[in-house]
Amino acid sequence: MGGGFGGLEAVLELERRFRDDPAVEITLVSENNYFLFTPLLPQIVSSTIEPRHIVQSLRDIRRERRFRILRARATGFDLARRQVATSVGALPFDYLIIALGSVPNFFGLEGAEHCFPLYSLEHAVVLRDHLLDLLEHADHEPDPERKRALLTLTVVGGGYTGVEVAAELRDLLFRHVVRRYRGIPADDVRLLLIEATAEILVGVDPKLAARARRKLERKGIELRTEARVARAGPGEVELKGGEKVPTGLVIWTAGVRANPLLESLPGPKNPAGRVLVTPQLHLPDHPRVFAIGDNAVVKGAPPEHTVPVAPLAMQQARVAAENVARGVARQAYVNFEYRPQGMLVSLGMNDAVVNLMGVRFSGYPAWLLWNAVHLLKLVGLKKQLQVALDWSLATLFPRDTSILRRPARCRLCESGASAATPR
Ligand SMILES: Cc1cc2nc3c(=O)[nH]c(=O)nc-3n(C[C@H](O)[C@H](O)[C@H](O)COP(=O)(O)OP(=O)(O)OC[C@H]3O[C@@H](n4cnc5c(N)ncnc54)[C@H](O)[C@@H]3O)c2cc1C
């Protein structure tokens, strides 16, 4: 279940293991008919990469393999009858691997509807368009105070997604926007990164996190740590303690929780709704039902082994698939052991911080490595070429800031935001 990092890797591993066994049917169920490479979502927001270039059609990935694809939305589980309910009918199973990913977690925030999450391709495209609407409005806003408010962009959450989004916005605004939008002076642009804990990039090596912090501050990104957003409203966020920050845009990257569909599964969950699975990755009382990636936490695993990242989902997928094969062959299951692969965080054009097997470095070499790794991990040569070309073109030409959806759907126009002073 799920055509993301975990589900796709699981189905590929199952295919390898059951290649010569036509009696075994393998089905990948996913509501999207594509695989989304989430690490590049921040670059959709900054108009560096074309949205289509970070998705790969599941059928193109499958090519000659024999597993079946069902484009359908899972709507419930009936474990007793070994069935999954989907938008196109019930699907029976003998073994089930659940990899339905996460959804944004607003932690009950008042005014969450005023924040823009970033977890899907649709989120990224909507956010990009709204950002560009905002810039168009700020460009002709005659009231200086309101202009500065529109140009205050707030990112909530100092994890790797929040940091990468803030860095991308910084590049877009200072390298492109202030040069081309005559009514947007650099001094009026304010980029705010709000983090509830004392440090950004929690879970990343502390020395590297401190280095990233210094670099972001040098780039003009305002970091507010130990600051919590208490409420979001149209045009402002309110911090705990009462401080109100006028802002044109709030991007919410402060947390995720497991797909809400998991609530209907039996057994304990962690506070983020992830299923507590056995070391063999199955549900405690259901040895044929596995949960992996963002959907699962191995009971007793150290916190640093539970951070929801793609390598965790993929490594678990391979072990879950192996255990399915072992189950079919009536062999004992193996335990999952996580091998963290380090961390790469982009700090925008020409800069990144990297921790690979204890080796820490930053700056241009780290950025080159970040690019190389992400390019290699993209699925399919065509997508790799498209993204490589997007990156090259972004260094040579201005970003394409065309808004492609209907102007009538601009939220700021709808709110009757500003007077017209064309620049
Ligand atoms: C902006 C962003 C940047 C990130 N950057 C990184 C990074 O740099 N490095 C890293 O390691 N990790 C990164 N991550 C985290 C990484 O994407 C996740 O940890 C990883 O995708 C988890 O894999 P998964 O298989 O559990 O879920 P996903 O990859 O999210 O897959 C879930 C799948 O389930 C499908 N689905 C959901 N609901 C249903 C339903 N009801 N019915 C059918 N199908 C459904 C979805 O369409 C999707 O195909 C990032 C995440 C985001 C949002």
Short mmCIF file of all heavy atoms in Angstrom, two decimals, residues 330-351:
data_model
loop_
_atom_site.label_atom_id
_atom_site.label_comp_id
_atom_site.label_asym_id
_atom_site.label_seq_id
_atom_site.Cartn_x
_atom_site.Cartn_y
_atom_site.Cartn_z
N ARG A 330 7.54 -20.44 4.69
CA ARG A 330 7.43 -20.97 6.06
C ARG A 330 8.78 -20.98 6.79
O ARG A 330 9.14 -21.93 7.47
CB ARG A 330 6.82 -22.38 6.06
CG ARG A 330 5.43 -22.40 5.48
CD ARG A 330 4.78 -23.76 5.61
NE ARG A 330 3.57 -23.83 4.82
CZ ARG A 330 2.42 -23.24 5.12
NH1 ARG A 330 2.31 -22.53 6.21
NH2 ARG A 330 1.37 -23.36 4.33
N GLN A 331 9.52 -19.89 6.61
CA GLN A 331 10.78 -19.73 7.34
C GLN A 331 10.60 -18.65 8.41
O GLN A 331 9.68 -17.83 8.31
CB GLN A 331 11.90 -19.30 6.39
CG GLN A 331 12.27 -20.35 5.36
CD GLN A 331 13.17 -19.79 4.27
OE1 GLN A 331 13.39 -18.60 4.18
NE2 GLN A 331 13.67 -20.67 3.43
N ALA A 332 11.53 -18.61 9.37
CA ALA A 332 11.43 -17.61 10.44
C ALA A 332 11.75 -16.22 9.90
O ALA A 332 12.59 -16.07 9.00
CB ALA A 332 12.41 -17.97 11.56
N TYR A 333 11.07 -15.22 10.43
CA TYR A 333 11.32 -13.83 10.03
C TYR A 333 12.68 -13.35 10.53
O TYR A 333 13.18 -13.83 11.55
CB TYR A 333 10.26 -12.91 10.63
CG TYR A 333 8.89 -12.97 9.98
CD1 TYR A 333 7.80 -12.32 10.57
CD2 TYR A 333 8.68 -13.64 8.78
CE1 TYR A 333 6.55 -12.34 9.99
CE2 TYR A 333 7.42 -13.67 8.19
CZ TYR A 333 6.35 -13.02 8.80
OH TYR A 333 5.12 -13.04 8.23
N VAL A 334 13.24 -12.34 9.82
CA VAL A 334 14.48 -11.71 10.31
C VAL A 334 14.12 -10.38 10.97
O VAL A 334 13.07 -9.80 10.69
CB VAL A 334 15.49 -11.45 9.16
CG1 VAL A 334 16.00 -12.75 8.59
CG2 VAL A 334 14.87 -10.58 8.07
N ASN A 335 15.02 -9.90 11.83
CA ASN A 335 14.82 -8.61 12.48
C ASN A 335 15.34 -7.47 11.60
O ASN A 335 16.28 -7.66 10.83
CB ASN A 335 15.58 -8.55 13.82
CG ASN A 335 14.85 -9.35 14.89
OD1 ASN A 335 13.77 -9.89 14.65
ND2 ASN A 335 15.46 -9.42 16.05
N PHE A 336 14.74 -6.31 11.79
CA PHE A 336 15.20 -5.12 11.07
C PHE A 336 16.26 -4.40 11.90
O PHE A 336 16.10 -4.22 13.10
CB PHE A 336 14.02 -4.16 10.82
CG PHE A 336 14.45 -2.83 10.28
CD1 PHE A 336 14.91 -2.71 8.98
CD2 PHE A 336 14.41 -1.69 11.08
CE1 PHE A 336 15.33 -1.49 8.48
CE2 PHE A 336 14.82 -0.46 10.58
CZ PHE A 336 15.28 -0.36 9.28
N GLU A 337 17.35 -4.03 11.24
CA GLU A 337 18.36 -3.20 11.91
C GLU A 337 18.67 -2.02 11.03
O GLU A 337 19.08 -2.18 9.88
CB GLU A 337 19.63 -4.02 12.14
CG GLU A 337 19.64 -4.68 13.50
CD GLU A 337 20.88 -5.50 13.71
OE1 GLU A 337 21.96 -4.96 13.47
OE2 GLU A 337 20.73 -6.68 14.08
N TYR A 338 18.47 -0.84 11.57
CA TYR A 338 18.62 0.37 10.76
C TYR A 338 20.09 0.78 10.65
O TYR A 338 20.82 0.79 11.64
CB TYR A 338 17.81 1.50 11.41
CG TYR A 338 17.77 2.79 10.61
CD1 TYR A 338 17.68 2.77 9.22
CD2 TYR A 338 17.80 4.02 11.25
CE1 TYR A 338 17.62 3.95 8.49
CE2 TYR A 338 17.75 5.21 10.53
CZ TYR A 338 17.66 5.16 9.15
OH TYR A 338 17.61 6.34 8.44
N ARG A 339 20.50 1.11 9.44
CA ARG A 339 21.83 1.66 9.22
C ARG A 339 21.67 3.09 8.69
O ARG A 339 21.48 3.29 7.47
CB ARG A 339 22.60 0.81 8.21
CG ARG A 339 23.01 -0.56 8.75
CD ARG A 339 23.75 -1.37 7.71
NE ARG A 339 22.99 -1.50 6.47
CZ ARG A 339 21.98 -2.36 6.30
NH1 ARG A 339 21.60 -3.16 7.28
NH2 ARG A 339 21.33 -2.42 5.15
N PRO A 340 21.69 4.09 9.61
CA PRO A 340 21.52 5.48 9.14
C PRO A 340 22.62 5.84 8.16
O PRO A 340 23.77 5.41 8.30
CB PRO A 340 21.64 6.31 10.43
CG PRO A 340 21.45 5.35 11.55
CD PRO A 340 21.92 4.02 11.06
N GLN A 341 22.26 6.63 7.16
CA GLN A 341 23.23 6.93 6.09
C GLN A 341 23.81 8.34 6.20
O GLN A 341 24.46 8.80 5.28
CB GLN A 341 22.56 6.76 4.74
CG GLN A 341 22.12 5.32 4.50
CD GLN A 341 21.51 5.12 3.14
OE1 GLN A 341 21.00 6.06 2.55
NE2 GLN A 341 21.55 3.90 2.66
N GLY A 342 23.51 9.03 7.29
CA GLY A 342 24.01 10.40 7.40
C GLY A 342 22.97 11.39 6.95
O GLY A 342 21.80 11.03 6.76
N MET A 343 23.38 12.60 6.77
CA MET A 343 22.41 13.66 6.50
C MET A 343 23.00 14.68 5.53
O MET A 343 24.17 15.06 5.64
CB MET A 343 22.11 14.35 7.84
CG MET A 343 20.82 15.07 7.87
SD MET A 343 19.45 13.91 7.88
CE MET A 343 18.14 14.97 7.40
N LEU A 344 22.19 15.11 4.58
CA LEU A 344 22.61 16.16 3.67
C LEU A 344 21.53 17.24 3.71
O LEU A 344 20.36 16.93 3.48
CB LEU A 344 22.71 15.65 2.23
CG LEU A 344 23.65 14.50 1.91
CD1 LEU A 344 22.89 13.20 1.80
CD2 LEU A 344 24.33 14.78 0.58
N VAL A 345 21.91 18.46 3.99
CA VAL A 345 20.92 19.55 4.02
C VAL A 345 21.42 20.68 3.14
O VAL A 345 22.51 21.23 3.36
CB VAL A 345 20.68 20.07 5.46
CG1 VAL A 345 19.59 21.13 5.47
CG2 VAL A 345 20.32 18.93 6.40
N SER A 346 20.60 21.04 2.16
CA SER A 346 20.97 22.14 1.26
C SER A 346 20.71 23.47 1.95
O SER A 346 19.68 23.65 2.60
CB SER A 346 20.16 22.04 -0.03
OG SER A 346 20.22 23.27 -0.71
N LEU A 347 21.65 24.40 1.78
CA LEU A 347 21.44 25.76 2.31
C LEU A 347 21.30 26.74 1.16
O LEU A 347 21.70 27.89 1.25
CB LEU A 347 22.62 26.15 3.22
CG LEU A 347 22.87 25.22 4.42
CD1 LEU A 347 24.08 25.68 5.20
CD2 LEU A 347 21.65 25.17 5.33
N GLY A 348 20.78 26.25 0.04
CA GLY A 348 20.58 27.11 -1.13
C GLY A 348 21.73 26.94 -2.10
O GLY A 348 22.60 26.08 -1.94
N MET A 349 21.73 27.81 -3.12
CA MET A 349 22.72 27.70 -4.20
C MET A 349 24.15 27.71 -3.64
O MET A 349 24.52 28.58 -2.85
CB MET A 349 22.51 28.90 -5.14
CG MET A 349 23.28 28.85 -6.42
SD MET A 349 22.77 27.51 -7.50
CE MET A 349 21.52 28.30 -8.49
N ASN A 350 24.94 26.72 -4.02
CA ASN A 350 26.37 26.63 -3.70
C ASN A 350 26.70 26.35 -2.24
O ASN A 350 27.84 26.53 -1.81
CB ASN A 350 27.13 27.92 -4.10
CG ASN A 350 27.04 28.18 -5.58
OD1 ASN A 350 26.78 27.26 -6.35
ND2 ASN A 350 27.24 29.41 -5.99
N ASP A 351 25.73 25.93 -1.45
CA ASP A 351 26.02 25.72 -0.02
C ASP A 351 25.16 24.58 0.55
O ASP A 351 23.99 24.45 0.21
CB ASP A 351 25.73 27.02 0.74
CG ASP A 351 26.55 27.13 2.01
OD1 ASP A 351 27.28 26.17 2.33
OD2 ASP A 351 26.46 28.17 2.69
#
